[in-house]
Amino acid sequence: MMKIYGFCVFSFCYFLISNGVQVAAFKDHRLRTNVSQPYRTAYHFQPSKNWMNGPVYYKGVYHLFYQYNPYGPLWGNMSWGHAISYDLVNWVHLDIALLENEPYDINGCFSGSTTILQNGEPVIMYTGVDTDSHQVQNLAFPKNISDPLLSEWVKPSLNPVMSPPDRVDPTQFRDPTTGWLGADGEWRVVVGSELDGHGSASLYKSKDFRTWIKSPSPLHSSNKTIMWECPDFYPVLVNGKDGLDTSVQGKNVRHVLKASFNDHDYYILGNYDPTSDRYDVDVDFLDSKWSLRYDYGRFYASKSFYDSDKKRRILWSWVNEGDTDSDAFIKGWSGLQVI
Ligand SMILES: *[C@@H]1O[C@H](CO)[C@@H](O)[C@H](O)[C@H]1NC(C)=O
Ligand SMILES: *[C@@H]1O[C@H](CO)[C@@H](O)[C@H](O)[C@H]1NC(C)=O
Ligand SMILES: *[C@@H]1O[C@H](CO)[C@@H](O)[C@H](O)[C@H]1NC(C)=O
Ligand SMILES: *[C@@H]1O[C@H](CO)[C@@H](O)[C@H](O)[C@H]1NC(C)=O
């Protein structure tokens, strides 16, 4: 373990210097607990300690944001941890990107997504749990868009930008997707929602990514499932191996909708019409005994992003913890990320 770690430290420093990024960004990520760590992984991404759950490519840097409890190894005090990499293997931990400190997120900064706007500016949309314990969607912008590390984020005063709509349980309205542009040039996102007690992807539209209007119909819903967490909606090529940026449309393109429920990540395929926002699916969630899943082990709340450098879509997922709470306290961490 020590030997592997020594190498990691060396490679981190080496790659930081080789890429000309100031070494001040380096954070000591050694465990401060005093126990042997037979289960800590050498390869999979893990925060330095504590609880985690679960990307964007910007100016040559991969950013991973993840659900993080800065104060303990169990679920709680939900914040956005932030790490960066040039190769998706070696990671540098940065300061926390989002902390629960505003009325619209005082009870937690839950999952969300990052979108690169037309002018190249990244924006985070995330779920905040407000003073009434209602789930609302909020924005955050980089403090300095020239900073490739995107180390500081600012929450605008217009938050929240979406509140739970009618028929949606206010405690079940979360995890906005990355935005995509429709045929009219307007942004769309979907938000995981429990609509009349069933899983649904509420569809919202915006001209400027700031003011959002709910569409009358969800992008998709299924009365066979419970609430959908961490929906993901993206194009794939019918013929070809390249990944596609989230707004790509065309005849050779179909769309994947992924939803997390029943402890698994299920996906369906269909044809999406970017004018009417109609999504016609081949076989719906749980409609077949061959329900499609990304993975059959511990794997939940995944998210994909488009890597414009290598023209591929990358999927990140959270491997949740199998240990008991007391073992999590002894280890000082729980959960990891797979790619
Ligand atoms: C680590 O644990 C060992 C064995 O219990 C103990 O002797 C040692 O003092 C501990 N070290 C620290 C820094 O707590
Ligand atoms: C949340 O943070 C507080 C300290 O601010 C700590 O006392 C509490 O144990 C934490 N909760 C969890 C579940 O880690
Ligand atoms: C913004 O980031 C750039 C690149 O890191 C840096 O040169 C500049 O000083 C930063 N501006 C501010 C106001 O911090
Ligand atoms: C479930 O949805 C289908 C198709 O939308 C509809 O035909 C059916 O009546 C619904 N079932 C229930 C129990 O709501």
Side-chain angles (χ1 to χ4, degrees):
M1 248 352 238
M2 283 315 289
K3 200 176 173 192
I4 295 169
Y5 186 72
F7 172 74
C8 287
V9 169
F10 175 74
S11 70
F12 269 132
C13 295
Y14 171 75
F15 107 92
L16 280 169
I17 293 161
S18 71
N19 284 282
V21 175
Q22 59 199 121
V23 175
F26 176 75
K27 291 274 168 5
D28 184 357
H29 76 316
R30 272 171 296 182
L31 285 165
R32 288 173 193 84
T33 54
N34 184 19
V35 289
S36 68
Q37 293 281 344
Y39 302 115
R40 193 152 172 97
T41 62
Y43 169 73
H44 295 283
F45 179 86
Q46 293 187 272
S48 56
K49 59 191 174 80
N50 299 336
W51 191 92
M52 70 174 287
N53 151 8
V56 67
Y57 183 73
Y58 181 69
K59 289 190 195 280
V61 182
Y62 295 100
H63 294 257
L64 177 61
F65 300 100
Y66 53 91
Q67 294 276 277
Y68 184 57
N69 178 353
Y71 305 109
L74 303 182
W75 193 88
N77 297 306
M78 213 33 71
S79 310
W80 275 45
H82 183 191
I84 55 157
S85 176
Y86 291 92
D87 59 7
L88 296 165
V89 174
N90 298 288
W91 292 90
V92 178
H93 294 284
L94 300 186
D95 284 341
I96 287 169
L98 300 175
L99 273 170
E100 39 176 27
N101 54 13
E102 295 287 344
Y104 50 77
D105 65 14
I106 197 74
N107 286 305
C109 297
F110 286 16
S111 292
S113 300
T114 309
T115 300
I116 308 280
L117 302 179
Q118 292 101 321
N119 64 359
E121 187 184 4
V123 53
I124 284 174
M125 187 185 283
Y126 70 99
T127 301
V129 183
D130 71 10
T131 42
D132 297 326
S133 294
H134 288 180
Q135 297 178 359
V136 298
Q137 314 316 320
N138 303 312
L139 302 177
F141 292 92
K143 190 167 183 183
N144 177 1
I145 57 166
S146 307
D147 168 20
L149 302 186
L150 300 173
S151 41
E152 285 184 84
W153 291 81
V154 178
K155 301 172 187 173
S157 58
L158 52 83
N159 283 340
V161 296
M162 297 172 195
S163 295
D166 287 351
R167 291 163 57 209
V168 168
D169 181 333
T171 65
Q172 306 286 330
F173 177 60
R174 58 183 175 270
D175 310 341
T177 59
T178 297
W180 73 94
L181 292 164
D184 53 10
E186 293 193 23
W187 288 103
R188 276 95 166 134
V189 302
V190 295
V191 183
S193 310
E194 191 182 286
L195 178 69
D196 295 337
H198 300 291
S200 172
S202 297
L203 178 68
Y204 283 79
K205 288 176 66 172
S206 173
K207 289 189 168 60
D208 61 1
F209 218 89
R210 287 161 173 80
T211 304
W212 291 88
I213 296 176
K214 189 179 156 297
S215 292
S217 308
L219 179 77
H220 193 63
S221 63
S222 163
N223 54 17
K224 283 194 176 170
T225 74
I226 55 168
M227 161 76 182
W228 296 348
E229 297 194 284
C230 297
D232 200 7
F233 186 65
Y234 57 89
V236 286
L237 276 176
V238 176
N239 293 302
K241 291 190 171 171
D242 284 349
L244 297 177
D245 205 350
T246 316
S247 301
V248 173
Q249 291 133 21
K251 283 206 167 59
N252 195 26
V253 170
R254 307 197 75 215
H255 277 75
V256 174
L257 176 64
K258 185 278 292 184
S260 303
F261 55 88
N262 297 355
D263 294 330
H264 300 298
D265 278 19
Y266 293 91
Y267 70 97
I268 54 178
L269 278 158
N271 293 324
Y272 167 67
D273 177 348
T275 303
S276 63
D277 289 317
R278 206 186 140 110
Y279 181 54
D280 291 317
V281 306
D282 302 353
V283 179
D284 209 349
F285 290 116
L286 308 184
D287 259 0
S288 148
K289 63 180 173 181
W290 300 285
S291 284
L292 299 170
R293 280 199 221 161
Y294 283 160
D295 192 275
Y296 290 79
R298 283 188 168 270
F299 186 102
Y300 195 71
S302 64
K303 254 192 194 293
S304 69
F305 75 103
Y306 178 64
D307 173 359
S308 55
D309 183 46
K310 298 214 160 51
K311 301 200 169 17
R312 56 186 179 179
R313 182 160 286 274
I314 294 180
L315 178 68
W316 276 103
S317 187
W318 173 46
V319 173
N320 57 1
E321 190 59 48
D323 261 354
T324 60
D325 289 0
S326 54
D327 282 349
F329 274 112
I330 293 168
K331 296 200 306 291
W333 57 269
S334 56
L336 51 85
Q337 295 280 334
V338 285
I339 186 169

